[in-house]
Amino acid sequence: MDFNMKKLASDAGVFFTRAVQFTEEKLGQAEKTELDAHFENLLARADSTKNWTEKIQRQTEVLLQPNPSTRVEEFLYEKLDRKVPSRVTNGELLAQYMIEAANDFGPTSPYGKTLIKVGETERRLGGAERDFIHSASINFLTPLRNFLEGDWRTISKERRILQNRRLDLDACKARLKKAKAAEAKAAAEHELRMAQTEFDRQAEVTRLLLEGISSTHVNHLRCLHEFAEAQTTYYAQCYQYMLDLQKQLGKLPGTFVGNAESVSPPPDNASPTVAAAAASVAGPAVPTIPVVPTAVGAPGSAPAVEALNASDVKPPASGTRKARVLYDYEAADSSELSLLSDEMIMVYSLPGMDPDWLVGERGNQKGKVPVTYLELLS
């Protein structure tokens, strides 16, 4: 390889001169041209934008892909300009295992049927996650990367050029001060005018680029709205899928074999969830998800809770409250009241009634309603 020794020596000399000039400026022994306050604010704003954009980008990547080794692999594929291999999500992989297990245990058995239902839901959840990751990557991560790898690199390059122009300008000012002879002063003044022109031109170019940060913020604001919209859609889909799964599991019959003689009846004040769990040990029952009670009252509890008759139950003189229904609820029997999401009903409690349940009224309809499905209003 051929080396240009003159250019190498010249570059080394410029580097040494710059180092000396920086040192003298730090020690206050050399004059330094200061930028105006507005320009300094633009520089600080640009640096802040770059730093926070990097942090937001990195953490978003962690959110979308928690596995660090996979992130590194995707980064390498991107740098090599190769297509990232398609991967199944964790939900889809879990769904595959569940369905394969159901086929092995027997798809017609209660456990097999439940595995299939849950597996199908996990597959839908995995698909929703894949769509969210794809949308977030295109609409949010890509614009952040484009700014850091495009606009910010251009800004950094022009800032370095401006710094060199400033150093040249200050060097010319120093030479003019040291010039004694008339010819030397004239030459120094000419160099100073040229350096000042170059500095002003580069300062204007850099200023325009820094002012463009405002447009970057507007673009990132739009991308942020799209990211939030995609995340909202994703979680709404997941919530709906789980509600559908809950309803499906509630309709699947299950048989749990146990020793009926060793099972004691649940206490009178047991919650619907505890009563359902105790009843399932003794014989056939409908499985329920613990956080959402769907079973009827426990045996031996107060008559008002066991079999609610609309003609017999009278609301108390005080204690009646309005409630907003949070989720749809399908009554398990005639003693319960079916609910629709967002509707308003009147609710109250009766003496000896299970605290997990209230009496709900909608017009002429009455029935037990689970507290977990309600938002009690004043």
Side-chain angles (χ1 to χ4, degrees), residues 39 96 117:
F39 202 103
Q96 177 184 341
K117 291 295 183 183

Side-chain angles (χ1 to χ4, degrees), residues 133-177:
I133 293 175
H134 179 72
S135 176
S137 298
I138 293 178
N139 298 326
F140 188 60
L141 276 180
T142 298
L144 298 185
R145 291 196 189 103
N146 290 342
F147 165 72
L148 293 173
E149 298 177 2
D151 294 349
W152 180 252
R153 286 187 178 180
T154 302
I155 291 174
S156 300
K157 176 183 175 182
E158 297 302 327
R159 286 176 66 177
R160 288 192 297 269
I161 295 176
L162 177 63
Q163 180 76 314
N164 290 331
R165 295 288 183 268
R166 183 192 67 76
L167 292 171
D168 292 340
L169 177 63
D170 291 338
C172 290
K173 291 179 180 179
R175 283 196 294 271
L176 179 60
K177 286 183 178 181

Side-chain angles (χ1 to χ4, degrees), residues 235-252:
Y235 285 119
Q237 288 177 332
C238 293
Y239 174 72
Q240 188 59 50
Y241 292 158
M242 295 310 298
L243 280 184
D244 295 342
L245 175 63
Q246 185 181 42
K247 293 179 181 179
Q248 292 174 14
L249 293 182
K251 296 177 182 179
L252 287 179

Side-chain angles (χ1 to χ4, degrees), residues 95-323:
Q96 177 184 341
Y97 291 160
M98 285 184 170
I99 294 175
E100 290 178 356
N103 292 330
D104 189 21
F105 298 147
T108 58
S109 66
Y111 186 34
K113 290 180 180 179
T114 304
L115 278 171
I116 290 176
K117 291 295 183 183
V118 177
E120 290 173 350
T121 301
E122 292 297 334
R123 178 177 293 168
R124 296 169 71 187
L125 292 173
E129 181 184 2
R130 181 191 300 277
D131 294 340
F132 166 61
I133 293 175
H134 179 72
S135 176
S137 298
I138 293 178
N139 298 326
F140 188 60
L141 276 180
T142 298
L144 298 185
R145 291 196 189 103
N146 290 342
F147 165 72
L148 293 173
E149 298 177 2
D151 294 349
W152 180 252
R153 286 187 178 180
T154 302
I155 291 174
S156 300
K157 176 183 175 182
E158 297 302 327
R159 286 176 66 177
R160 288 192 297 269
I161 295 176
L162 177 63
Q163 180 76 314
N164 290 331
R165 295 288 183 268
R166 183 192 67 76
L167 292 171
D168 292 340
L169 177 63
D170 291 338
C172 290
K173 291 179 180 179
R175 283 196 294 271
L176 179 60
K177 286 183 178 181
K178 295 178 181 178
K180 301 297 183 181
E183 293 182 359
K185 285 186 177 181
E189 288 176 351
H190 177 70
E191 290 181 357
L192 178 60
R193 287 194 297 270
M194 295 293 295
Q196 185 70 56
T197 301
E198 291 294 330
F199 173 77
D200 292 341
R201 183 185 297 114
Q202 186 59 38
E204 184 62 23
V205 171
T206 308
R207 184 193 303 272
L208 291 175
L209 289 174
L210 293 174
E211 289 176 346
I213 292 292
S214 298
S215 299
T216 299
H217 284 189
V218 173
N219 182 42
H220 288 180
L221 173 62
R222 177 184 59 80
C223 297
L224 185 60
H225 277 282
E226 293 180 356
F227 174 70
E229 184 70 22
Q231 199 167 27
T232 301
T233 302
Y234 167 59
Y235 285 119
Q237 288 177 332
C238 293
Y239 174 72
Q240 188 59 50
Y241 292 158
M242 295 310 298
L243 280 184
D244 295 342
L245 175 63
Q246 185 181 42
K247 293 179 181 179
Q248 292 174 14
L249 293 182
K251 296 177 182 179
L252 287 179
T255 303
F256 301 91
V257 181
N259 186 358
E261 296 179 356
S262 63
V263 178
S264 58
D268 292 346
N269 60 349
S271 66
T273 304
V274 175
S280 66
V281 178
V286 178
T288 60
I289 297 178
V291 295
V292 183
T294 58
V296 297
S301 57
V305 181
E306 266 310 296
L308 189 64
N309 191 329
S311 61
D312 297 336
V313 174
K314 302 297 181 182
S318 61
T320 303
R321 301 176 63 179
K322 283 186 178 181

